[in-house]
Amino acid sequence: MKKDLNTVISNINSLLKEKKFKELINEINHNFNEEKPPAILNILGVAKIFQPNATKKDKISGANDFKEAFIKDNSFLNSLINYIRISIELEDYKEALTFAKQYESKLGYQKDIFRGIARINFKIGNVKESVKYLGEVLRKNDGTSKNWTQYLIRLNYDYFVDQKEYLNRCIKFSDSLEVIDEKYLKPIIKEKKKKIKLGFISADFRSHPVSSLFLELIKRLDNKKFETYGFSNTEKNHYDSETEKYQKTFNNWSDISEMKDKDVINAIRSNGVNILIHLGGLFDRSRLMVIKNRVAPTQISWMNISTTGVKNMDYLIADENLIKKNEEEMYSEKIIYMPNIWNIHGGFKEKNLINNFREVKFDKEITFGSFNNFDKISDKVVHVWSMILKKIKKSKLILRSSNKLNKEYLYNRFKEFNVHKKIEIQDLIKNELDHLKSYHKIDLALDTFPTPGIITTFESLWMGVPVITMKGFNLCSRAGESIMKNINMNELICENEEDYISKVINLSSNVNKLNLIRKKIYNEAKKSKLFDYDTFNHEFEKLMINIAETN
């Protein structure tokens, strides 16, 4: 010890408060030897991570300080929370999860630890454990709005609950959202003018799957009938070339990403929007509290995974393949049906992929593929795909995901069925053209269930690759069905797991039949309702006009 202890501690606290992290690191290293107390190690770790221009090496060193602090005192909660958070950032999960479970075993429930366990399990691909721990946080009434939306989204990735129970849990989420006293809010403007003021709120006005479905629609809306408003909750550090397209396409653009909910409510109300369409539903940065406090006379949910359960969300856009008439009571919103399909894709005409059809030849083996995000690979999917790989000796399965989940965990799930050597897990292909061309390596695409692919299914069909999909039980799980029915490919929809396996085996053993289906899809998909923006836009505009006139 170089100085009086009280003086050193006072200096450390002052530097920490002033966020002078480099000076703080020097102060600690100068005055403490290698045997630093846990509290000092924790502060040192914070300083290393938050110092200006911190490198990955600095963050790893900070993580080691947190770990050492917890090892010295395994009841030191703050050091463990810090260790979990930085470990997730560094994608180094194993020890953090072990320590968190040790803490749980010794001291029981603690909200931040359970949140951390949920986050780590989701990152490694264990959706079931993530749902379990998030559920416990919510049962203790310790959940944030983000915890709620994460939990509700993940419930769709496996057969956790039926649609009726899902609605009940969404309503509980809605009940947790704040209601702001109207005296602090501007009044809603209900004027009807020549043009319908049509607003859209989203966190994904950027390079994102939503753009493939949505940007072209905004471009084609009739400016004589509609005035469009884009309310962007996209974080500014995620702005990209797609964001610029949105900014130019909307008649009016507002960045709400850094605004408080009350200010967002007042801003949207001030614009006098007639209809506000909320995109993405329960996904991150959803701002559903804004919807609950009503900002427009009519509020609609679109491109959502299911119901929101949120009060004042008036309508949900679907189609008759997604939600049956006798199921409408299991959704909090009134269902409005598009005549054919609930949304479509812009296609890839600009990618110069014309006359690129490939017939399959089973010279050595048949190649299956799924480019759906790994969090959609449920236990039943692993089982079904494993049975297929076992029954078809000369076969392999290529998997690729756009999100960062632990490959090792997924690989080990297939290892349980001894088919892991037939699995090829690829890294994300960032270049879109290269990604699309990679479908030429796939003979038959396998869809996930109960949450199917949407963008990946559109991509696959555009490239002439059939997709085997599973029959569902609600909006989310029937997306693959709706897509297949809109290209008259009911034969690719499976009734159950046995039918799924049977259909794959049948096509795999009959190359001529498979090639006929591939040729039909390649020739007809591009001309189908899936990519027909003229028809879809006409139907969408008509729907919006009818809603505006009746509300």
Side-chain angles (χ1 to χ4, degrees):
M1 185 66 62
K2 310 293 183 182
K3 301 177 185 176
D4 173 70
L5 180 59
N6 291 333
T7 302
V8 172
I9 297 299
S10 178
N11 289 343
I12 287 173
N13 288 331
S14 295
L15 292 169
L16 182 60
K17 186 176 180 180
E18 295 170 15
K19 297 182 180 181
K20 294 181 178 180
F21 296 119
K22 285 190 178 295
E23 293 93 327
L24 179 54
I25 293 168
N26 292 333
E27 181 74 12
I28 291 174
N29 288 333
H30 180 71
N31 288 286
F32 289 89
N33 56 27
E34 293 182 3
E35 291 299 317
K36 299 177 181 70
I40 297 300
L41 283 166
N42 189 55
I43 293 171
L44 181 60
V46 169
K48 288 177 180 177
I49 289 167
F50 289 106
Q51 65 179 306
N53 303 312
T55 64
K56 184 176 181 179
K57 185 177 179 181
D58 294 325
K59 293 179 179 181
I60 291 172
S61 180
N64 288 331
D65 291 329
F66 296 141
K67 180 170 72 171
E68 186 180 346
F70 182 72
I71 290 171
K72 288 183 174 181
D73 179 2
N74 55 23
S75 64
F76 191 1
L77 177 63
N78 199 30
S79 66
L80 179 55
I81 292 170
N82 288 335
Y83 183 50
I84 291 170
R85 287 172 178 167
I86 192 60
S87 295
I88 291 170
E89 182 181 336
L90 293 169
E91 300 177 19
D92 184 12
Y93 310 112
K94 191 172 182 179
E95 282 193 298
L97 182 58
T98 299
F99 289 155
K101 296 287 285 183
Q102 285 175 358
Y103 185 96
E104 177 195 3
S105 178
K106 181 180 178 181
L107 298 171
Y109 172 81
Q110 202 287 325
K111 62 180 181 180
D112 294 302
I113 300 304
F114 271 47
R115 286 173 184 161
I117 294 173
R119 285 187 68 196
I120 291 174
N121 273 295
F122 184 71
K123 290 291 185 181
I124 65 174
N126 192 339
V127 176
K128 190 172 289 186
E129 282 292 286
S130 179
V131 165
K132 172 186 168 183
Y133 280 90
L134 273 179
E136 188 62 23
V137 171
L138 296 171
R139 278 189 288 274
K140 299 281 189 182
N141 294 317
D142 285 332
T144 63
S145 178
K146 187 174 182 178
N147 293 150
W148 265 111
T149 54
Q150 289 170 336
Y151 173 73
L152 292 170
I153 288 292
R154 292 169 197 176
L155 282 179
N156 290 278
Y157 292 150
D158 213 324
Y159 296 91
F160 293 112
V161 294
D162 60 21
Q163 182 60 29
K164 187 174 181 180
E165 178 57 28
Y166 186 77
L167 171 61
N168 291 335
R169 298 189 190 190
C170 287
I171 291 172
K172 287 182 180 178
F173 161 60
S174 176
D175 291 342
S176 74
L177 297 173
E178 180 187 0
V179 176
I180 299 175
D181 193 317
E182 281 291 329
K183 69 182 180 183
Y184 300 112
L185 302 176
K186 295 182 179 181
I188 295 174
I189 301 170
K190 296 185 178 181
E191 295 177 354
K192 288 189 177 181
K193 296 188 176 182
K194 186 177 180 181
K195 288 185 181 182
I196 296 170
K197 291 189 173 185
L198 184 58
F200 299 86
I201 182 170
S202 175
D204 297 315
F205 292 141
R206 57 188 174 90
S207 295
H208 185 274
V210 167
S211 288
S212 303
L213 307 172
F214 180 68
L215 183 57
E216 190 65 25
L217 180 139
I218 301 299
K219 290 179 181 178
R220 291 173 180 241
L221 282 175
D222 189 342
N223 280 325
K224 294 179 181 178
K225 298 176 182 177
F226 299 95
E227 182 178 357
T228 57
Y229 293 76
F231 299 103
S232 173
N233 202 37
T234 306
E235 294 174 294
K236 288 184 178 178
N237 62 330
H238 288 155
Y239 273 28
D240 56 22
S241 58
E242 287 293 294
T243 309
E244 291 179 13
K245 293 177 185 177
Y246 278 112
Q247 289 173 315
K248 293 175 182 177
T249 301
F250 282 114
N251 300 129
N252 306 274
W253 173 268
S254 299
D255 187 319
I256 62 170
S257 62
E258 296 178 0
M259 294 169 62
K260 295 179 180 178
D261 285 326
K262 179 173 73 70
D263 297 327
V264 173
I265 294 167
N266 283 328
I268 298 177
R269 286 186 175 192
S270 296
N271 281 286
V273 171
N274 303 117
I275 300 172
L276 181 72
I277 297 180
H278 184 279
L279 300 167
L282 295 161
F283 285 97
D284 282 350
R285 299 175 60 79
S286 59
R287 303 300 285 257
L288 283 163
M289 199 267 269
V290 170
I291 298 296
K292 184 175 179 180
N293 283 271
R294 188 173 288 285
V295 290
T298 302
Q299 302 183 145
I300 300 174
S301 176
W302 189 28
M303 300 186 192
N304 187 11
I305 200 165
S306 187
T307 186
T308 61
V310 173
K311 184 180 179 182
N312 290 328
M313 187 74 85
D314 304 305
Y315 297 99
L316 171 62
I317 295 177
D319 63 49
E320 291 185 352
N321 297 316
L322 298 180
I323 300 173
K324 312 303 180 185
K325 291 287 186 180
N326 63 352
E327 299 170 348
E328 290 183 357
E329 64 181 16
M330 291 185 282
Y331 298 80
S332 62
E333 307 87 355
K334 183 178 180 181
I335 310 302
I336 46 178
Y337 296 93
M338 293 295 291
N340 295 293
I341 189 166
W342 86 107
N343 67 34
I344 63 171
H345 195 286
F348 304 98
K349 292 177 182 177
E350 78 284 0
K351 296 297 181 182
N352 197 27
L353 290 163
I354 300 169
N355 299 325
N356 232 3
F357 177 71
R358 298 284 189 277
E359 282 195 345
V360 300
K361 297 177 181 179
F362 300 160
D363 296 333
K364 295 182 180 179
E365 60 186 0
I366 182 169
T367 301
F368 304 115
S370 175
F371 298 157
N372 295 354
N373 285 338
F374 293 161
D375 44 24
K376 296 181 180 180
I377 301 178
S378 64
D379 288 346
K380 288 190 176 183
V381 168
V382 172
H383 177 261
V384 166
W385 289 355
S386 296
M387 293 304 100
I388 290 168
L389 293 172
K390 277 189 171 184
K391 289 176 182 290
I392 304 173
K393 301 301 180 184
K394 294 182 179 180
S395 63
K396 74 173 183 179
L397 173 60
I398 297 175
L399 301 176
R400 189 163 71 233
S401 175
S402 63
N403 59 7
K404 289 185 178 181
L405 292 181
N406 187 275
K407 293 181 183 178
E408 182 182 359
Y409 177 81
L410 179 60
Y411 189 75
N412 287 334
R413 292 172 74 189
F414 286 99
K415 197 171 184 178
E416 291 180 18
F417 294 92
N418 198 31
V419 295
H420 53 290
K421 292 181 180 178
K422 291 188 166 193
I423 303 293
E424 180 183 331
I425 302 177
Q426 297 182 346
D427 292 328
L428 173 67
I429 298 176
K430 292 185 178 181
N431 181 277
E432 187 178 42
L433 182 58
D434 290 339
H435 166 71
L436 290 169
K437 286 182 176 179
S438 72
Y439 279 96
H440 290 318
K441 298 179 181 179
I442 307 300
D443 300 320
L444 182 62
L446 305 182
D447 208 357
T448 48
F449 55 89
T451 301
I454 297 176
I455 302 300
T456 51
T457 300
F458 283 126
E459 290 173 346
S460 187
L461 296 175
W462 184 274
M463 298 303 294
V465 181
V467 182
I468 297 290
T469 194
M470 181 70 82
K471 188 175 182 179
F473 61 93
N474 62 2
L475 183 154
C476 173
S477 60
R478 290 182 181 138
E481 275 186 80
S482 185
I483 293 171
M484 292 305 154
K485 287 178 178 178
N486 273 278
I487 56 166
N488 299 313
M489 276 290 162
N490 291 42
E491 61 196 286
L492 299 179
I493 302 170
C494 306
E495 291 292 323
N496 50 45
E497 294 166 48
E498 292 74 21
D499 189 36
Y500 193 113
I501 295 170
S502 176
K503 278 184 166 60
V504 173
I505 291 174
N506 180 265
L507 287 174
S508 300
S509 62
N510 191 334
V511 67
N512 291 329
K513 182 178 180 180
L514 179 56
N515 275 323
L516 284 174
I517 292 174
R518 286 172 62 93
K519 190 73 172 178
K520 181 182 177 183
I521 288 172
Y522 186 82
N523 288 333
E524 297 182 11
K526 298 176 182 65
K527 298 178 287 186
S528 72
K529 293 291 192 295
L530 303 185
F531 303 101
D532 183 1
Y533 258 111
D534 289 334
T535 299
F536 188 86
N537 264 55
H538 174 73
E539 294 169 349
F540 182 82
E541 287 186 0
K542 185 177 179 181
L543 184 66
M544 292 301 106
I545 291 169
N546 288 341
I547 289 172
E549 290 176 348
T550 56
N551 286 275

